[in-house]
Amino acid sequence: MKKYWWQDAIIYQIYLRSFKDSNGDGIGDIPGVIEKLDYLKRLSVNTLWISPHYDSPMDDNGYDIRDFFKVAEDYGTMEDFKRLIEVAHANDMKIVTDLVLNHTSDEHPWFQAAKDPSHPDHARYHDYYIWHPGHVQEDGSKKRPTRWISWFGGSVWDYNEATEEYYLHIFSKKMPDLNWRNDAMRNELKAMIQWWIDLGIDGFRIDASNHLEKNWDFPDDEPGYQHFSSLPKHHDYLQELADELFMPNNLLILGEAGGASKEEALQYAGFDSNEFNMLIHFGHVWVDIDDSNTLTPGKWAKGTVKLSKIKEALSHWIDVFHEKGWNTLYWHNHDHPRVVSHYGNDDPLYHERSAKMLAALLYLLPGTPIVYQGEEIGMTNVDYQSLHDFKDVEVFTEYENFMRHGASHEIAMQALRDRARDNARAPMQWSSSDGAGFTAGTPWMPVVKNHTRINVAAQEKDPNSILAWYRMLLALRKEDAIAYSYPTFYHLDKDDRFAYAFSASHHDYYVVGNFTQEPLEFIPDVSLEAMDLWAANTDVSPGELGPYETRIYRTKK
Ligand code: NOJ
């Protein structure tokens, strides 16, 4: 059944800047990760995915790379990074890093040369990026090439006086897009990837992978996303990387590509295709968007969570990859709100129960789990009251948009507290101390006040904590072949409950849970005669599932 090492992986995503600060400068760093490897081992984690660690001006916290071959000073040195690989490997852990190939920082030497005609290397690097002269109007002024909107809000085009051209950036204006049609550029990126492989990296998460190709006819639509997303030719580029670098080195490749159809998903991550090994698809992440909200539209418009939609997405991806590829299991990453606030209930009364319920809903399904830092203790969304507590570049362009749409400051702030990426980026809550045990100094972004209640140190002491529950579920995946199972789902159309049953190597399992705050009648979907109650997140009573109650039954030995 097993073909590849990563089918048994338990991945933990580390957002370096906010995980653990070892030197008191308020910023998470690589020695901080090394310090916490034992903690991660106790969670059964055997693979770390680490957000960009490269030298960067940090406009987008490292997704804007200035030097691919240097470690960001904020995060440590190349020696620290080598030590991380060494210590991780000595502990049977693999290291997966982020690979940002769609764009660089505007401070990268390639762009510095590309934008400056007087630079000695201008001719060589100009075509590494995407340029357009714009449209000259009757009055002689220039107009942007298209009305395309960037993922962070605002135009994708910015003007460069020196060359009298616009350059394309589908994220921030400090992140110019690379021209993947340029062979020399691709060859330089490939040499860079090989360099990291030689250093001992076990895999990569490919950032923004479905955006590598653009529509070079530049049709003038708004917002124009279809002209820089999922165009057929980006598969050629990914296949080239897979054939030349990823497959020969037995790497784990996690690919980020939202909105993929079944066919596309298999083209990316089917066993027969192998552009990636696993797809990060986002199917279940934004199931509660209120389309009628015009003040804070799109992903910012919080609507009603429908469990049926979450289950539909989870079961869809299991089916897509069943026997044809490999599934990923994750609630969210550094770009989304915290799951216990988004899909659970972060009121202290229900916080613990709903966090455990969400873990049981997801982490006994087939595939490879990717746990996001802090999820295992039920970290919540931020409680920030001032716009300046937020740090994400996206927050500030979107706040301007909300104002333009007529939102009040209060409405905009609530949308940010509900949906901003910073919700997942606040410092990890290690203890109840002032800096949440994250730093001895001043944290680069404020710690959430509930760290006095929700933190690792407190949960280490409590055998019934969310942390203990995560440890138990993830350890179970090591004991029984849950990763390779195929579940039967019950009540797929219901929004109040979930239930699924499956067989692994040693046991049959039945998992059931109440997604709501109201008690529900409990009628088992399978015979429980040959089963024991293996775990529950509260005291159980026979005919009823209490608020957010979840139970895991399995066959006796
Ligand atoms: C996706 C990353 O997850 C996100 O954090 C980043 O801003 C964009 N790609 C641009 O690199």
Side-chain angles (χ1 to χ4, degrees):
M1 215 160 29
K2 178 174 163 177
K3 288 184 171 174
Y4 305 100
W5 65 264
W6 37 261
Q7 288 176 281
D8 287 327
I10 295 187
I11 304 175
Y12 187 89
Q13 187 193 345
I14 292 188
Y15 198 70
L16 208 41
R17 204 166 184 77
S18 296
F19 185 63
K20 176 74 179 113
D21 170 23
S22 72
N23 61 0
D25 66 358
I27 299 172
D29 49 41
I30 295 162
V33 177
I34 299 175
E35 220 177 277
K36 295 296 178 185
L37 288 182
D38 282 346
Y39 167 80
L40 297 172
K41 266 188 105 171
R42 277 211 61 200
L43 202 55
S44 300
V45 167
N46 55 15
T47 305
L48 305 184
W49 153 21
I50 300 179
S51 60
H53 59 285
Y54 314 90
D55 176 56
S56 160
M58 301 288 168
D59 186 54
D60 188 22
N61 292 343
Y63 283 95
D64 48 321
I65 297 175
R66 182 166 47 199
D67 185 344
F68 286 109
F69 298 95
K70 197 174 159 212
V71 170
E73 271 171 31
D74 282 348
Y75 300 153
T77 61
M78 189 59 79
E79 285 316 305
D80 292 330
F81 200 83
K82 287 185 186 159
R83 196 158 59 86
L84 171 64
I85 298 178
E86 200 183 316
V87 181
H89 286 175
N91 281 283
D92 289 329
M93 283 178 155
K94 309 269 191 191
I95 299 287
V96 170
T97 56
D98 238 292
L99 200 52
V100 187
L101 304 174
N102 178 69
H103 44 267
T104 63
S105 162
D106 63 344
E107 297 182 29
H108 191 287
W110 295 347
F111 192 72
Q112 292 292 311
K115 70 170 195 185
D116 177 3
S118 67
H119 193 288
D121 290 328
H122 175 72
R124 176 167 169 206
Y125 290 117
H126 180 260
D127 282 353
Y128 276 30
Y129 295 88
I130 300 172
W131 301 94
H132 194 291
H135 303 295
V136 182
Q137 316 208 71
E138 275 180 14
D139 65 0
S141 67
K142 275 205 171 184
K143 199 173 120 200
R144 291 197 163 106
T146 67
R147 287 168 293 159
W148 300 357
I149 302 290
S150 96
W151 294 113
F152 292 171
S155 172
V156 298
W157 298 105
D158 251 67
Y159 195 59
N160 179 48
E161 290 285 347
T163 55
E164 299 182 352
E165 290 166 305
Y166 292 86
Y167 66 92
L168 182 94
H169 59 84
I170 67 168
F171 295 98
S172 95
K173 64 175 186 221
K174 281 187 67 63
M175 297 155 81
D177 280 57
L178 287 163
N179 170 11
W180 270 72
R181 294 189 174 190
N182 184 305
D183 293 341
M185 192 289 293
R186 287 210 313 287
N187 286 339
E188 287 209 54
L189 284 183
K190 285 191 280 187
M192 177 275 289
I193 297 169
Q194 185 63 56
W195 189 88
W196 283 100
I197 296 172
D198 293 343
L199 204 82
I201 296 296
D202 304 292
F204 297 109
R205 177 263 191 184
I206 316 285
D207 184 66
S209 54
N210 60 330
H211 301 301
L212 301 182
E213 175 65 356
K214 319 293 190 278
N215 183 343
W216 285 72
D217 293 334
F218 303 114
D220 187 18
D221 304 335
E222 195 179 78
Y225 301 136
Q226 72 277 23
H227 302 305
F228 49 86
S229 306
S230 306
L231 294 166
K233 200 168 166 55
H234 82 283
H235 287 289
D236 297 348
Y237 304 139
L238 294 173
Q239 199 63 59
E240 181 178 326
L241 298 178
D243 291 345
E244 294 179 28
L245 295 156
F246 302 155
M247 303 270 287
N249 288 290
N250 193 22
L251 300 184
L252 163 58
I253 303 300
L254 299 170
E256 186 199 30
S261 65
K262 177 179 174 179
E263 291 69 33
E264 276 173 320
L266 291 174
Q267 190 173 353
Y268 282 126
F271 285 141
D272 297 336
S273 164
N274 277 322
E275 288 171 16
F276 312 141
N277 307 115
M278 288 180 225
L279 179 67
I280 300 181
H281 42 62
F282 308 121
H284 60 291
V285 177
W286 296 113
V287 302
D288 58 339
I289 287 179
D290 173 3
D291 290 328
S292 68
N293 182 335
T294 52
L295 298 177
T296 61
K299 76 166 184 182
W300 302 93
K302 182 179 162 153
T304 312
V305 177
K306 285 221 181 293
L307 173 62
S308 53
K309 285 199 185 171
I310 299 177
K311 290 186 291 189
E312 187 187 310
L314 296 178
S315 64
H316 167 77
W317 288 109
I318 289 170
D319 281 338
V320 167
F321 288 119
H322 183 52
E323 292 177 350
K324 298 203 175 83
W326 197 248
N327 189 36
T328 42
L329 301 168
Y330 63 96
W331 274 126
H332 65 85
N333 63 27
H334 60 289
D335 292 335
H336 308 116
R338 288 277 177 187
V339 68
V340 72
S341 302
H342 191 186
Y343 291 161
N345 188 331
D346 58 15
D347 183 303
L349 196 59
Y350 298 119
H351 171 253
E352 179 190 313
R353 264 207 219 180
S354 70
K356 290 179 176 174
M357 176 276 293
L358 289 168
L361 163 57
L362 188 69
Y363 290 124
L364 296 180
L365 292 174
T368 294
I370 310 176
V371 177
Y372 181 72
Q373 71 183 40
E375 179 195 324
E376 75 278 16
I377 55 166
M379 276 180 64
T380 65
N381 279 352
V382 299
D383 49 5
Y384 300 161
Q385 299 304 316
S386 157
L387 182 60
H388 298 288
D389 287 341
F390 288 90
K391 300 291 173 227
D392 184 7
V393 55
E394 182 192 52
V395 159
F396 301 98
T397 39
E398 292 293 358
Y399 181 86
E400 293 302 321
N401 286 340
F402 302 158
M403 294 295 121
R404 262 197 298 279
H405 292 138
S408 64
H409 174 72
E410 285 67 33
I411 287 181
M413 286 298 291
Q414 193 53 52
L416 297 178
R417 279 191 295 268
D418 287 335
R419 310 297 240 192
R421 308 194 301 179
D422 278 339
N423 284 302
R425 300 175 180 187
M428 176 77 183
Q429 297 172 189
W430 294 102
S431 76
S432 60
S433 71
D434 277 357
F438 160 72
T439 181
T442 307
W444 74 280
M445 73 187 286
V447 296
V448 179
K449 289 197 191 65
N450 66 23
H451 74 274
T452 51
R453 181 168 49 87
I454 302 169
N455 63 68
V456 172
Q459 296 198 18
E460 289 275 10
K461 289 191 209 123
D462 175 3
N464 291 317
S465 64
I466 302 168
L467 178 61
W469 182 262
Y470 265 77
R471 282 182 176 154
M472 189 180 72
L473 293 190
L474 297 175
L476 183 64
R477 298 187 72 92
K478 288 203 300 195
E479 285 163 27
D480 212 347
I482 293 168
Y484 305 86
S485 63
Y486 182 71
T488 303
F489 285 98
Y490 303 94
H491 318 292
L492 273 178
D493 58 339
K494 294 218 174 91
D495 287 317
D496 58 2
R497 70 191 66 206
F498 64 88
Y500 59 95
F502 60 93
S503 297
S505 309
H506 304 312
H507 299 275
D508 294 346
Y509 294 80
Y510 173 59
V511 185
V512 60
N514 178 350
F515 195 75
T516 75
Q517 210 171 303
E518 305 302 325
L520 294 176
E521 189 188 7
F522 174 50
I523 304 171
D525 303 286
V526 300
S527 164
L528 298 180
E529 240 168 67
M531 291 190 157
D532 284 331
L533 179 64
W534 181 72
N537 62 352
T538 180
D539 294 337
V540 305
S541 57
E544 189 179 276
L545 283 175
Y548 301 109
E549 179 171 335
T550 192
R551 302 182 193 182
I552 301 163
Y553 291 92
R554 74 175 186 186
T555 44
K556 301 172 179 154
K557 287 237 177 228

